[in-house]
Amino acid sequence: MSASTKPQSQRSDLQGHVDALLRELGVNRAHYRDGTFRVHTPITGETIGHVQETSASEAAAAIEAAHTAFRVWRLVPAPKRGELIRLLGEELRAKKEALGRLVSIEVGKILSEGLGEVQEMIDICDFAVGLSRQLYGLTIATERAEHRMMESWHPLGVTGIISAFNFPVAVWAWNSALALVCGNSIVWKPSEKTPLTALATEALVERAVKRFRQEGGVAPDGLSAVLFGGRDIGELLVDHARVALVSATGSTEMGRAVGPRLAKRFARAILELGGNNAAIVAPTADLDLTLHGIAFAAMGTAGQRCTTLRRLFVHESVYETFVSRLKRAYASVTVGNPLQTDTLVGPLIDAAAYRGMQNALDAARAAGGAVHGGERVAIEGAADAHYVRPALVEMAAQTGPVEHETFAPVLYVMKYSDFNAVLEVHNAIAQGLSSSIFTNDLREAEAFFSARGSDCGIANVNIGPSGAEIGGAFGGEKETGGGRESGSDAWKAYMRRATNTINYGRTLPLAQGVKFDVV
């Protein structure tokens, strides 16, 4: 056992704790006790629930009901739709503590991260309420006299949401708050690893809908639905003709399967896929600030964020000083029960994640890398769980496992000397999600943001690549999928655009000077 890890008895009463949280969140006990699919917590590996899987016929019926609901919901004025989202935000505020703790138990996040995920849900609700009065089109200059040209935006249809285990409720909220306020219905397939948080979230939606109706709002049945199951249910959602848009979060491999299926039937896709994210530490970097930024970005959520820092390029002039400090941080960080307030790194989600991490570290050693950390950490009462010491791996070059994303706390550290050359290496990766540079050199910072700089959808200066706010559009380029969710104008993906021209004159001039006179 690591010297910095406290012995902790964790198999005390997690089951009872989960029961109490789900009751507080309004979930019917039968929904998490009477099913055949077992739900585990990564904290101990024990079973904490039994959820009933959705059958193919039930899923198809839910999608049809969502389509019927959409036909009603699209006619409700957008500010009225925003009122439902406001009520959902209130429900989330009231149950933030309970839902946040449930996230921590089901995913293994430390408490502040579980609560932070629910705060993201609240934030996007606030954003969507304001957006309900700002679904703006444009008035466009026209060459024809006594004409007006404009664009308008209309609801799109049933929105399918496929979410991953690492952000089991926040990503749903990014999509659902915008989809609902834009006039769409939603059908959600959460990760099979995190169904309990989905049950709890749907219960809060139902409570908000009930209040909305009591206040005179029109909210049809079927407006929101959850489907529980594996790949077969996801494929049904992707292939169903009634689903106009699918927002899918997961691996690049998943995106390669989903994207062509949606394209085949000309449905829309928002793909949020892998991210082999990097940061550059320049000679002028504030090393105290940089240490904190990199520590969270690389070790937070046990390295299981799509924006987790996985590649670090440190200038040769500060390499020894900074990497020595970083090694000490890695060796001293507290690994353990995420429900304990002094824990910073909780468990990996399951045995497969642990095996993936160890395979990557073996490949790094074979490629000449020096591995610091990465060993399994024994936690009393959690023999079936997978706790690990975060790994810092010094590599001579970006090669072998460095070129591939491993969804675990593995940080590859490399030395660089030339800024222009390191930019090229930084971008020489298949994914393009998030990136950072730590520098006090204005020219370097601006170059990093420029067309020849980071090719990622997110680029930061003097903060890490992990931990985006909802105000900006979230997503990445290349094999990250190109999708955008959350803030800015990401709402446009959930609507259809129409270009409209009105002739208010008594003649009919044609565009481009075309003449077509008939008697």
Side-chain angles (χ1 to χ4, degrees):
M1 182 177 296
S2 171
S4 62
T5 305
K6 298 178 181 179
Q8 300 174 51
S9 179
Q10 304 187 111
R11 197 182 286 272
S12 52
D13 192 24
L14 274 180
Q15 179 67 78
H17 193 24
V18 168
D19 285 350
L21 291 172
L22 289 169
R23 284 197 302 271
E24 181 180 349
L25 290 160
V27 180
N28 187 319
R29 193 175 192 276
H31 292 166
Y32 61 90
R33 275 285 164 266
D34 297 346
T36 57
F37 184 80
R38 295 173 63 187
V39 185
H40 300 87
T41 172
I43 296 177
T44 61
E46 68 186 284
T47 301
I48 55 172
H50 291 82
V51 174
Q52 186 62 49
E53 293 188 77
T54 306
S55 69
S57 60
E58 290 170 335
I63 294 170
E64 289 291 346
H67 176 69
T68 301
F70 158 70
R71 293 175 61 83
V72 175
W73 186 242
R74 64 182 175 173
L75 303 179
V76 175
K80 296 293 185 182
R81 301 193 297 252
E83 178 63 12
L84 173 59
I85 304 305
R86 185 187 69 79
L87 293 172
L88 176 58
E90 287 186 359
E91 296 296 333
L92 289 166
R93 281 183 169 86
K95 300 299 182 183
K96 178 180 175 179
E97 178 72 24
L99 185 55
R101 290 187 73 86
L102 186 62
V103 168
S104 291
I105 292 170
E106 195 168 36
V107 180
K109 291 186 175 184
I110 62 174
L111 282 174
S112 65
E113 290 192 64
L115 294 171
E117 182 164 351
V118 182
Q119 186 61 49
E120 280 194 62
M121 303 173 78
I122 294 166
D123 292 345
I124 196 64
C125 285
D126 288 349
F127 181 90
V129 172
L131 181 65
S132 70
R133 295 180 182 272
Q134 300 178 73
L135 300 174
Y136 298 143
L138 300 173
T139 298
I140 304 165
T142 172
E143 66 189 66
R144 290 169 284 186
E146 298 185 307
H147 282 57
R148 179 163 65 89
M149 186 162 56
M150 61 184 182
E151 68 176 25
S152 53
W153 294 85
H154 300 291
L156 183 62
V158 179
T159 297
I161 303 168
I162 299 175
S163 59
F165 79 86
N166 59 329
F167 277 85
V169 290
V171 170
W172 171 86
W174 293 355
N175 284 278
S176 61
L178 297 192
L180 287 168
V181 87
C182 287
N184 304 323
S185 55
I186 53 175
V187 180
W188 178 22
K189 195 208 87 67
S191 167
E192 53 268 41
K193 298 176 183 179
T194 54
L196 300 183
T197 46
L199 282 171
T201 299
E202 185 65 12
L204 296 178
V205 172
E206 290 171 0
R207 193 177 303 177
V209 167
K210 182 178 180 180
R211 290 178 59 193
F212 182 69
R213 289 169 175 164
Q214 289 172 341
E215 295 178 7
V218 176
D221 292 338
L223 189 59
S224 174
V226 183
L227 313 178
F228 296 107
R231 180 169 180 164
D232 56 336
I233 294 297
E235 289 177 344
L236 189 152
L237 185 62
V238 167
D239 293 338
H240 201 290
R242 294 294 198 191
V243 180
L245 164 69
V246 173
S247 176
T249 301
S251 67
T252 297
E253 289 68 30
M254 182 270 285
R256 286 196 178 99
V258 168
R261 297 176 83 125
L262 292 171
K264 184 176 181 179
R265 64 180 184 87
F266 300 103
R268 291 198 198 173
I270 299 174
L271 298 179
E272 297 289 354
L273 311 176
N276 195 353
N277 314 293
I280 298 170
V281 181
T284 61
D286 179 330
L287 297 186
D288 291 334
L289 179 150
T290 302
L291 181 68
H292 286 87
I294 288 172
F296 170 70
M299 293 187 282
T301 326
Q304 298 171 119
R305 289 183 177 225
C306 52
T307 53
T308 290
L309 177 62
R310 309 198 183 281
R311 298 177 293 135
L312 182 64
F313 302 99
V314 182
H315 192 268
E316 60 185 5
S317 65
V318 295
Y319 185 92
E320 295 301 330
T321 299
F322 181 73
V323 175
S324 293
R325 294 183 60 184
L326 193 58
K327 288 177 186 176
R328 289 195 295 272
Y330 266 66
S332 64
V333 70
T334 304
V335 179
N337 183 349
L339 302 181
Q340 300 292 330
T341 56
D342 61 344
T343 296
L344 293 180
V345 178
L348 294 175
I349 190 67
D350 55 22
Y354 175 74
R355 288 193 298 270
M357 178 178 180
Q358 297 309 311
N359 289 341
L361 295 179
D362 288 344
R365 292 185 185 98
V371 177
H372 309 276
E375 68 275 8
R376 191 167 180 179
V377 175
I379 301 293
E380 184 180 345
D384 296 330
H386 294 83
Y387 291 83
V388 292
R389 170 73 43 198
L392 186 155
V393 184
E394 294 183 86
M395 297 288 291
Q398 182 168 273
T399 187
V402 187
E403 297 177 320
H404 307 284
E405 180 185 30
T406 299
F407 218 61
V410 178
L411 178 64
Y412 300 105
V413 184
M414 292 152 283
K415 189 182 298 184
Y416 83 93
S417 57
D418 180 76
F419 178 70
N420 291 322
V422 79
L423 282 181
E424 294 294 325
V425 176
H426 174 283
N427 292 343
I429 287 294
Q431 300 91 353
L433 178 53
S434 193
S435 59
S436 296
I437 185 171
F438 292 86
T439 182
N440 285 319
D441 185 321
L442 178 63
R443 292 181 177 86
E444 287 182 335
E446 290 294 337
F448 192 71
F449 284 165
S450 74
R452 71 181 180 92
S454 170
D455 62 359
C456 296
I458 301 169
N460 299 327
V461 171
N462 291 334
I463 64 170
S466 188
E469 296 182 35
I470 60 90
F474 181 91
E477 301 301 321
K478 303 188 294 187
E479 289 190 4
T480 301
R484 292 298 185 274
E485 296 170 331
S486 193
S488 186
D489 64 349
W491 62 270
K492 293 180 179 179
Y494 303 84
M495 304 196 81
R496 60 179 179 87
R497 183 197 325 237
T499 300
N500 313 122
T501 304
I502 301 171
N503 178 0
Y504 58 89
R506 296 184 181 276
T507 60
L508 191 65
L510 300 178
Q512 296 87 45
V514 172
K515 299 296 183 183
F516 196 86
D517 296 326
V518 294
V519 178

